[in-house]
């Protein structure tokens, strides 16, 4: 059993008791959150694809933690111009544990 949900403009595959990293949510750690934008729903017998969303389905998750991702190196260069710029970036995310459907 799994579902494809849209969170923060991105799509994630949600299976029971799995932990997924979604863009930063404005929820407390330990609180429950519901994702109602279900794009696809599949159980043991059938698969339902929404157009664009599956009606009447939602996914419930529990917020595990908020953190930042690993550091990404950013390097810009223009050839023959003596132009070089270095930078770093760490994106905030929220880990959620899928509780149920």
């Amino acid at each position: 059993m799994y579902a494809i949900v849209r969170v923060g403009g991105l799509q994630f595959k949600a299976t029971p008791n799995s932990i997924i990293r979604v863009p930063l949510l404005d929820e407390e750690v330990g609180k429950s959150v519901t994702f109602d934008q279900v794009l696809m729903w599949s159980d043991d017998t059938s698969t339902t694809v929404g157009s664009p969303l599956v009606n009447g389905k939602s996914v419930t998750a529990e917020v595990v933690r908020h953190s930042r991702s690993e550091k990404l190196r950013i390097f810009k260069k223009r050839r023959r111009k003596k132009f070089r710029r270095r930078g770093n970036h760490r994106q905030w995310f929220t880990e959620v544990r899928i509780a149920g459907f």
Side-chain angles (χ1 to χ4, degrees), residues 24-40:
L24 186 65
L25 300 175
D26 190 25
E27 294 291 332
E28 301 273 334
V29 174
K31 296 279 184 167
S32 178
V33 63
T34 302
F35 303 126
D36 56 352
Q37 292 188 347
V38 177
L39 302 172
M40 189 173 105

Side-chain angles (χ1 to χ4, degrees), residues 6-73:
R6 184 186 308 149
V7 181
L10 303 174
Q11 298 175 7
F12 298 95
K13 181 178 179 180
T15 57
N17 296 323
S18 65
I19 295 178
I20 59 175
R21 288 183 174 184
V22 298
L24 186 65
L25 300 175
D26 190 25
E27 294 291 332
E28 301 273 334
V29 174
K31 296 279 184 167
S32 178
V33 63
T34 302
F35 303 126
D36 56 352
Q37 292 188 347
V38 177
L39 302 172
M40 189 173 105
W41 181 272
S42 178
D43 55 7
D44 297 334
T45 59
S46 65
T47 300
T48 305
V49 178
S51 59
L53 302 175
V54 178
N55 293 328
K57 299 292 185 180
S58 64
V59 176
T60 306
E62 174 191 353
V63 176
V64 177
R65 72 179 177 125
H66 302 290
S67 186
R68 295 175 77 180
S69 63
E70 57 276 355
K71 186 181 288 188
L72 296 177
R73 305 280 184 199

